[in-house]
Every structure is written in structure tokens, then in C-alpha cells.
Amino acid sequence: GLLVDDAIIAVEMMVVKLEQGWDRVRAGSYAWTSTAFPMLTGTLVTAAGYMPVGLAQSSTGEYTQDIFRVVGLALIISWFVAVLFVPYLGVKLLPRPHHLVRDANDVYDTKTYRRLRHAVAWCVTHRRIVIAITVATFLASLGGFAALPQQFFPSSDRLEVVIDLRLPEGGSWRATNAAVQEMEKVIAAQPGIVNSAAYIGIGAPRFFLASNPELDTPNFAQFVVNTDTIAHREALVALFERMADDAAKSGTADIRLRPARLELGPPVGYPVQFRILGPDPTQLRAIAEKVRAAMRADPRMRNINDSWGNPAPRVTIAIDQDKARILGVSSQDVANLLQTLMQGATVTAYRERNDLIPVVIRAIDSERLDLDALADIALPSASGHAVPLGQIARITSGLEEPIIYRRARLPVINVRGDIADATQPAVVTAAIQSAVDAIAASLPPGYRIETGGAVEESAKGQASVNAGMPLMVLTMVALLMLQLQSFGRVALVIATAPLGLIGVTGALMVSGRPFGFVAMLGIIALAGIIMRNSVILVDQIRQDLELGVAPMDAIVNAAVRRSRPITLTAAAAILALVPLALSVFWGPMAIAIMGGLLVATILTLFFLPALYAATGGLNVAPARTTATTPRATALPGAPEAAHRA
């Protein structure tokens, strides 16, 4: 859609000049002399609108950086095509007009143009009313924009379902394998299953860019189930969500299930997360329980858990060093013996073709799994006699933290959960945030609570884009100054950029799409597209004023003459976005640009002339240009057209 914009402007200019009686070569070259450099400025401004996306240094930018490269390169090439190749095609292919006009203004003396001229003249004459209505509408759109549901990235429309299965911490490979076999029977009984794979003790390979790898642990397994339709995928997700909820309500959830669709964008995992940091793990546990209670109070939350899991059983062997020294036994001797009996020790290797298979010795299951028999383990001493382990050590059992995650060298525990309905994570997080803030306010020194999940990742992506905004603004202002050579006209063009938000808000509300990171990219790019059209119109007004045309006629006639290329380029871009509007990933961006560009095109033709008249310091007389006097002032190029006629 953007690729043909410059070509549309060039062809439209040639058609107008041919109707005014110019020969083909001269009409083709006129696109260079009249609009080539305004088009170049507008093209570069549009490309600069994608600059924050291309410069985003974050995992979020990894998904969208190529937009800047592809669109920027396509736009620059399109300008060369429009000013060099399209005029050549026009000379060869454009048909001769059926009739020539006697006056340059006759081209714009149709019924449609007369109505447009009258409307633009009314807006210029009543510019204060037009500006006030536009500003009020813009402020109202800001209020509507704040009410839009916030989203980071949408779920994928792929057919895979990823199901995490986690046993209590300390669970064995054998127990996990048994649970996996039971789950495979449930999955196989469901309709629409194409195939499935189970990975025990480790997550699935990274078959998808947004996959989140899992640490190796014997109590974890992951299924990747491929379905044949979206309906069967959703049915499978709903089934396992019910199973997880029923187990949680019964209080006997030895196995935690979490079905999930594939994510688009950086992997977030649980959409709602709160991170608790502090020096004492025991204190962190107590704080985490308060946060869990705050999350459980929201009926939209489900599958609430923490990253540490339940405490795991442990056995502690406290060696009496005095007795051990008397018997000539060291702590290392005890450790080596327990390692050999419990875990096993490699004694040799068996070669099978090119593979070396280690041979491991360890105690039989009845001995190594019986904790009561641990005190009777015979420990060789320096005298050559075996000593029971219980004579030199005190053996106790209890619970301990199975794993302690750290962040910035501080222990950290994540309390997280899923959302039961279609509510966006930002809405649920905001609802819980006040209760979490109250907990954070009562924490002792050295402890703090941070917000994670989709809200944190969205903020990171936004910050990476915001970092490129100053360079984008500086580039745009520099380009506009080179073309317009006036601070006032540059400010006028920049002032039109935010007005696309009116259409963005309306389009997202009507379509029911949330505002997320991808839609934000559309708004940033939209600013460049809007300013591109504004540059061409403002520069045309400047050219007419420099030729001595009366201010009213210069403003109105410029809007009328630029209406067709501005409308056609906007229509081309909007129609080109229709296929993307149906996309799960790019849909919000396409809808945002379509709505914003539609409204911005109308504002460019009616609001911008009124704003130019109000801020340009011109003596605009309201009586010169009307719908009944279309030829009050000759347009540039009229003397040649009249001579030709």
C-alpha cells in the first residue's frame, strides 16, 4: 500500500497536465519539478516513523525490527520509481484525454470538486469552530483510548497445545513417568488429536521462537499436542483447565497441570506475576502466602502457585567428629559411601560399537530407599572393621527449600497465576495491585515486591521503543525543516500527527481489539504517514503563496488539487491492510492504521487548511474562493494551458 503512494501522486499529476493540454514528455517531467522533493521528504518522514521499532533493543523488538528495514527500503525505492520510471511509463501508456480544458481550473470544475471547494472554504472561514471541534474530539478520543483493554501480545492461532505437568518437589523420574502414562491415555481419548509428544524431566526442544525453556528436573514433564482445528485445541485446553481446577478445589493436587496456547511475542509464561525479593527464604515464604491470598481474592484468577514449589523432604547426617577421628573415618569417606550406595558410582565402561556405556554400582532399591536402614549402613574404618553409620552420626529428617532462585544476588520467589476468562492481564494485575501494594508497605527493610508477567514485559518493550523516539523526532524535524524552511510550517505539520489517535481509538473500539504492543507500532508509523500527506499540502500552499495567489485561494485551491492524490494514497494503504486486519498478530496494528489514516485524511483536507489559516499570520478574506467562483485565480501552469488551447 505504501509502495504505490508516490506513484499515485506522480500519475495523478501527469493526468491533470495532459488534460490541461501539455504534451506527454512535459507532463511527465512536471512531477519532478513540482512534487519530487516534497514526496521525498514525505517518504523519508514515513520511513522515520518506523525508526523506534527498528532501533528497539529488547526481546520485544526482535519480533518487529524487520518492519523498519523492509518498509524503509521499499519507500525509498518507491520514490525513485515514482519520479524516474513512472513518468516514462506514463509517456508510453497514458491515453490522450478525450477533451482538453480551456483553463487550468476547469480540471477542478466538476460537481464533486465544487462541493469540496465549498466545504474547504467553509472550514477556512469558520476556522475557530473547526479547530475547537477537532480539539474536543481529540480530547474525547484520549479518554476513550485510556478505556481500551491493554494487551502485550496475543496468543498464537497455531494448533499446538503445550501442557506442563509438575509433581511435588522431590518427585522421582519413576513417579513422573507413571503420571505421564496416565496423561497420555487421557490425551489419546480426546477428539481431533493429530499427534503428541511427551518430554520427561525436561521441556520440549525450542521448536517455536517464543518457547520458554525449562530447567532439568525429575518432577517435571511437558506435552506438545497437535490438534486438527482451533475448536479441538480450545476443547483440549478447557479439559485440562477443568482437571487442574478440580484438583485444586479438592485440596489433593499432587500433580499441577497447566495447559497453554503458544505465545506470540517474548515468552511471558504466567500472565499475572509478582516477584518478592529479600534475604531470608523463610520470610519470603510468609510474604508469598499473603500475596497468594490477595490473588485468590480475585475471582478471575486460577492456578495460583509460586516458583519454589512445596518444601521437599530431606535427611541430614550430622557427623560426630570426635568419634569419627577415633575410628579414623573422615567426612569425605562418609560422603563417598553414601554417594555410591544412593546415587551410584561409575566403576568401568562397556563399549558397544562406537558408544561407551558407563557401568554404575549402587545399592538395591530395598536398601537405598529405606531411610530407617540408613543408620545400619556399614562404614569401613581405619582398623579394617565396619562401623554402623548410626554410631558416628546423628540422622534426622525434615523439610527444606528444594530450589532457591536468585535475582541480583537476592533470593526471589515468584507468585503467579493464570486468568480464568478473557480479561486482559493488565486489567487483572491492576485490580490486584492495590492489595499487593498494601502488603509491600508493611514489609521490613530489605524486602520488596515487584510486578512481573505481561505488565512488566510490556513496559520493557515500550521502554525500548521510547528510547528511539528522540532520534525519530529529530530526524523528522530536520527533514521537514529542509523542505518547508519555516518553523511555523514545521510545527503545523507536526501538530497533525497526533490527530490520527481519533481514528485509532474509534477503530479499536468498533472492532473490539485490545491495544497492545503491535497496535502501538501502528500508531507510531501512522504519525509518519499523516505528516507525509501534510507536507505535500503545506508545501503546495507555500508554492501558491510565493506565486502571488491570494491567501484564501491558495489554501482552498491547494486542498482541492491535492484531494485526489491524498485520498487515493490513503485508500491504497487502507485497502492493502485489509488482509492483515484478519491476522491474529498484526490485526491490531492494521486496524489502528486503517482507522487513524481514514480520519487523518479527512482532517488533512479540512482541518489542516483551517489551522494553516489560523496560524499562518495571513489576511484570509472569506469572500474570494467559493463554489460558484472556481476560476477566481489561475492555478500554476494556467498560462501554458491557455496558450496551448
Tab-separated table of all heavy atoms in Angstrom, residues 130-146 494-506 523 526 530 599 603 607:
chain	number	residue	atom	x	y	z
A	130	VAL	N	-13.994	24.917	13.544
A	130	VAL	CA	-13.406	23.651	13.100
A	130	VAL	C	-12.297	23.210	14.046
A	130	VAL	O	-12.218	22.038	14.433
A	130	VAL	CB	-12.880	23.790	11.661
A	130	VAL	CG1	-12.120	22.535	11.242
A	130	VAL	CG2	-14.019	24.059	10.698
A	131	ILE	N	-11.427	24.153	14.423
A	131	ILE	CA	-10.324	23.815	15.329
A	131	ILE	C	-10.864	23.380	16.683
A	131	ILE	O	-10.392	22.397	17.285
A	131	ILE	CB	-9.365	25.008	15.461
A	131	ILE	CG1	-8.673	25.276	14.119
A	131	ILE	CG2	-8.336	24.754	16.555
A	131	ILE	CD1	-7.824	26.533	14.110
A	132	ALA	N	-11.884	24.082	17.193
A	132	ALA	CA	-12.445	23.734	18.501
A	132	ALA	C	-13.074	22.342	18.480
A	132	ALA	O	-12.884	21.542	19.409
A	132	ALA	CB	-13.481	24.784	18.911
A	133	ILE	N	-13.821	22.027	17.402
A	133	ILE	CA	-14.452	20.708	17.308
A	133	ILE	C	-13.392	19.616	17.217
A	133	ILE	O	-13.501	18.559	17.854
A	133	ILE	CB	-15.394	20.660	16.088
A	133	ILE	CG1	-16.583	21.601	16.302
A	133	ILE	CG2	-15.872	19.242	15.831
A	133	ILE	CD1	-17.498	21.709	15.100
A	134	THR	N	-12.343	19.876	16.430
A	134	THR	CA	-11.287	18.876	16.279
A	134	THR	C	-10.562	18.627	17.598
A	134	THR	O	-10.298	17.479	17.976
A	134	THR	CB	-10.290	19.323	15.210
A	134	THR	OG1	-10.983	19.569	13.978
A	134	THR	CG2	-9.230	18.261	14.981
A	135	VAL	N	-10.240	19.701	18.306
A	135	VAL	CA	-9.541	19.555	19.591
A	135	VAL	C	-10.424	18.824	20.598
A	135	VAL	O	-9.954	17.941	21.342
A	135	VAL	CB	-9.118	20.936	20.125
A	135	VAL	CG1	-8.581	20.818	21.548
A	135	VAL	CG2	-8.068	21.560	19.216
A	136	ALA	N	-11.719	19.162	20.624
A	136	ALA	CA	-12.628	18.485	21.552
A	136	ALA	C	-12.734	17.000	21.225
A	136	ALA	O	-12.743	16.147	22.125
A	136	ALA	CB	-14.001	19.148	21.498
A	137	THR	N	-12.808	16.680	19.935
A	137	THR	CA	-12.865	15.273	19.535
A	137	THR	C	-11.581	14.546	19.916
A	137	THR	O	-11.610	13.386	20.354
A	137	THR	CB	-13.101	15.165	18.025
A	137	THR	OG1	-14.248	15.924	17.661
A	137	THR	CG2	-13.305	13.714	17.609
A	138	PHE	N	-10.456	15.227	19.759
A	138	PHE	CA	-9.175	14.619	20.121
A	138	PHE	C	-9.110	14.334	21.622
A	138	PHE	O	-8.666	13.257	22.047
A	138	PHE	CB	-8.035	15.534	19.699
A	138	PHE	CG	-6.676	15.048	20.112
A	138	PHE	CD1	-6.095	13.946	19.515
A	138	PHE	CD2	-5.971	15.697	21.116
A	138	PHE	CE1	-4.850	13.490	19.900
A	138	PHE	CE2	-4.724	15.256	21.512
A	138	PHE	CZ	-4.165	14.150	20.897
A	139	LEU	N	-9.570	15.282	22.436
A	139	LEU	CA	-9.564	15.070	23.890
A	139	LEU	C	-10.502	13.925	24.273
A	139	LEU	O	-10.189	13.127	25.166
A	139	LEU	CB	-9.971	16.359	24.603
A	139	LEU	CG	-8.998	17.538	24.453
A	139	LEU	CD1	-9.545	18.782	25.155
A	139	LEU	CD2	-7.627	17.179	25.006
A	140	ALA	N	-11.643	13.845	23.586
A	140	ALA	CA	-12.560	12.738	23.869
A	140	ALA	C	-11.934	11.403	23.488
A	140	ALA	O	-12.123	10.391	24.175
A	140	ALA	CB	-13.869	12.951	23.114
A	141	SER	N	-11.179	11.391	22.384
A	141	SER	CA	-10.520	10.145	21.975
A	141	SER	C	-9.455	9.726	22.977
A	141	SER	O	-9.214	8.530	23.165
A	141	SER	CB	-9.904	10.306	20.584
A	141	SER	OG	-8.784	11.173	20.614
A	142	LEU	N	-8.810	10.696	23.635
A	142	LEU	CA	-7.840	10.347	24.676
A	142	LEU	C	-8.521	9.611	25.825
A	142	LEU	O	-7.982	8.639	26.366
A	142	LEU	CB	-7.144	11.611	25.193
A	142	LEU	CG	-6.172	12.308	24.241
A	142	LEU	CD1	-5.606	13.565	24.896
A	142	LEU	CD2	-5.038	11.375	23.837
A	143	GLY	N	-9.718	10.089	26.196
A	143	GLY	CA	-10.461	9.397	27.241
A	143	GLY	C	-10.861	7.999	26.818
A	143	GLY	O	-10.768	7.044	27.596
A	144	GLY	N	-11.303	7.857	25.561
A	144	GLY	CA	-11.652	6.536	25.065
A	144	GLY	C	-10.449	5.629	24.947
A	144	GLY	O	-10.539	4.419	25.188
A	145	PHE	N	-9.315	6.227	24.586
A	145	PHE	CA	-8.098	5.432	24.457
A	145	PHE	C	-7.684	4.850	25.803
A	145	PHE	O	-7.224	3.705	25.881
A	145	PHE	CB	-6.981	6.304	23.888
A	145	PHE	CG	-5.705	5.574	23.644
A	145	PHE	CD1	-5.544	4.781	22.518
A	145	PHE	CD2	-4.638	5.680	24.529
A	145	PHE	CE1	-4.365	4.097	22.285
A	145	PHE	CE2	-3.461	5.002	24.309
A	145	PHE	CZ	-3.321	4.214	23.179
A	146	ALA	N	-7.836	5.638	26.867
A	146	ALA	CA	-7.474	5.139	28.200
A	146	ALA	C	-8.374	3.989	28.633
A	146	ALA	O	-7.974	3.170	29.468
A	146	ALA	CB	-7.560	6.282	29.215
A	494	ILE	N	3.698	18.919	12.195
A	494	ILE	CA	3.833	18.034	13.360
A	494	ILE	C	2.548	18.011	14.182
A	494	ILE	O	2.185	16.979	14.760
A	494	ILE	CB	5.031	18.475	14.212
A	494	ILE	CG1	6.342	18.259	13.425
A	494	ILE	CG2	5.081	17.714	15.525
A	494	ILE	CD1	7.577	18.729	14.146
A	495	ALA	N	1.830	19.140	14.212
A	495	ALA	CA	0.606	19.206	15.013
A	495	ALA	C	-0.471	18.267	14.495
A	495	ALA	O	-1.377	17.874	15.247
A	495	ALA	CB	0.074	20.637	15.037
A	496	THR	N	-0.400	17.891	13.224
A	496	THR	CA	-1.422	16.987	12.676
A	496	THR	C	-1.155	15.523	13.020
A	496	THR	O	-2.061	14.691	12.906
A	496	THR	CB	-1.486	17.134	11.147
A	496	THR	OG1	-0.211	16.764	10.580
A	496	THR	CG2	-1.813	18.570	10.756
A	497	ALA	N	0.073	15.191	13.414
A	497	ALA	CA	0.431	13.781	13.639
A	497	ALA	C	-0.399	13.117	14.740
A	497	ALA	O	-0.884	11.993	14.552
A	497	ALA	CB	1.921	13.664	13.944
A	498	PRO	N	-0.605	13.751	15.912
A	498	PRO	CA	-1.356	13.052	16.966
A	498	PRO	C	-2.839	12.882	16.662
A	498	PRO	O	-3.516	12.107	17.339
A	498	PRO	CB	-1.157	13.956	18.198
A	498	PRO	CG	-0.037	14.878	17.862
A	498	PRO	CD	-0.081	15.047	16.389
A	499	LEU	N	-3.369	13.615	15.672
A	499	LEU	CA	-4.807	13.584	15.442
A	499	LEU	C	-5.282	12.238	14.915
A	499	LEU	O	-6.478	11.942	14.944
A	499	LEU	CB	-5.196	14.698	14.465
A	499	LEU	CG	-4.896	16.116	14.952
A	499	LEU	CD1	-5.320	17.127	13.909
A	499	LEU	CD2	-5.602	16.397	16.280
A	500	GLY	N	-4.362	11.428	14.394
A	500	GLY	CA	-4.759	10.089	13.967
A	500	GLY	C	-5.267	9.240	15.106
A	500	GLY	O	-5.954	8.224	14.882
A	501	LEU	N	-4.972	9.642	16.355
A	501	LEU	CA	-5.439	8.878	17.515
A	501	LEU	C	-6.962	8.833	17.576
A	501	LEU	O	-7.539	7.902	18.147
A	501	LEU	CB	-4.869	9.491	18.795
A	501	LEU	CG	-5.021	8.670	20.082
A	501	LEU	CD1	-4.241	7.385	19.976
A	501	LEU	CD2	-4.542	9.484	21.280
A	502	ILE	N	-7.618	9.848	16.987
A	502	ILE	CA	-9.090	9.845	16.963
A	502	ILE	C	-9.587	8.607	16.230
A	502	ILE	O	-10.467	7.880	16.711
A	502	ILE	CB	-9.602	11.129	16.288
A	502	ILE	CG1	-9.127	12.372	17.059
A	502	ILE	CG2	-11.116	11.109	16.178
A	502	ILE	CD1	-9.454	13.677	16.368
A	503	GLY	N	-9.036	8.366	15.050
A	503	GLY	CA	-9.449	7.200	14.285
A	503	GLY	C	-8.982	5.892	14.894
A	503	GLY	O	-9.678	4.869	14.807
A	504	VAL	N	-7.788	5.901	15.510
A	504	VAL	CA	-7.266	4.686	16.142
A	504	VAL	C	-8.195	4.217	17.254
A	504	VAL	O	-8.577	3.041	17.332
A	504	VAL	CB	-5.848	4.932	16.682
A	504	VAL	CG1	-5.393	3.753	17.531
A	504	VAL	CG2	-4.873	5.163	15.544
A	505	THR	N	-8.596	5.160	18.122
A	505	THR	CA	-9.478	4.804	19.237
A	505	THR	C	-10.810	4.278	18.730
A	505	THR	O	-11.311	3.248	19.203
A	505	THR	CB	-9.702	6.031	20.138
A	505	THR	OG1	-8.430	6.513	20.605
A	505	THR	CG2	-10.573	5.685	21.320
A	506	GLY	N	-11.382	4.976	17.755
A	506	GLY	CA	-12.669	4.533	17.226
A	506	GLY	C	-12.586	3.174	16.570
A	506	GLY	O	-13.465	2.316	16.764
A	523	ILE	N	0.512	3.014	15.644
A	523	ILE	CA	0.315	4.436	15.939
A	523	ILE	C	1.584	5.229	15.622
A	523	ILE	O	1.527	6.334	15.055
A	523	ILE	CB	-0.086	4.611	17.416
A	523	ILE	CG1	-1.471	4.006	17.657
A	523	ILE	CG2	-0.076	6.070	17.814
A	523	ILE	CD1	-1.934	4.081	19.084
A	526	LEU	N	1.859	5.481	11.964
A	526	LEU	CA	0.781	6.324	11.447
A	526	LEU	C	1.171	7.794	11.476
A	526	LEU	O	0.796	8.564	10.574
A	526	LEU	CB	-0.487	6.088	12.269
A	526	LEU	CG	-1.729	6.880	11.876
A	526	LEU	CD1	-2.182	6.489	10.474
A	526	LEU	CD2	-2.847	6.635	12.888
A	530	ILE	N	0.759	10.333	8.266
A	530	ILE	CA	-0.053	11.554	8.319
A	530	ILE	C	0.783	12.769	7.942
A	530	ILE	O	0.357	13.622	7.143
A	530	ILE	CB	-0.661	11.715	9.722
A	530	ILE	CG1	-1.651	10.578	10.004
A	530	ILE	CG2	-1.356	13.062	9.858
A	530	ILE	CD1	-2.166	10.564	11.427
A	599	VAL	N	-9.420	8.823	9.329
A	599	VAL	CA	-9.751	10.090	9.980
A	599	VAL	C	-8.717	11.158	9.637
A	599	VAL	O	-9.059	12.323	9.395
A	599	VAL	CB	-9.852	9.885	11.500
A	599	VAL	CG1	-10.014	11.221	12.217
A	599	VAL	CG2	-11.000	8.959	11.837
A	603	LEU	N	-9.107	14.988	8.127
A	603	LEU	CA	-8.564	16.155	8.832
A	603	LEU	C	-7.541	16.900	7.983
A	603	LEU	O	-7.429	18.129	8.064
A	603	LEU	CB	-7.934	15.708	10.150
A	603	LEU	CG	-8.909	15.140	11.198
A	603	LEU	CD1	-8.153	14.666	12.426
A	603	LEU	CD2	-9.939	16.191	11.595
A	607	PHE	N	-9.307	20.118	8.277
A	607	PHE	CA	-8.767	20.759	9.479
A	607	PHE	C	-7.455	21.478	9.193
A	607	PHE	O	-7.235	22.602	9.683
A	607	PHE	CB	-8.569	19.708	10.575
A	607	PHE	CG	-7.775	20.199	11.753
A	607	PHE	CD1	-8.336	21.077	12.669
A	607	PHE	CD2	-6.456	19.804	11.942
A	607	PHE	CE1	-7.596	21.537	13.755
A	607	PHE	CE2	-5.713	20.259	13.017
A	607	PHE	CZ	-6.290	21.130	13.924
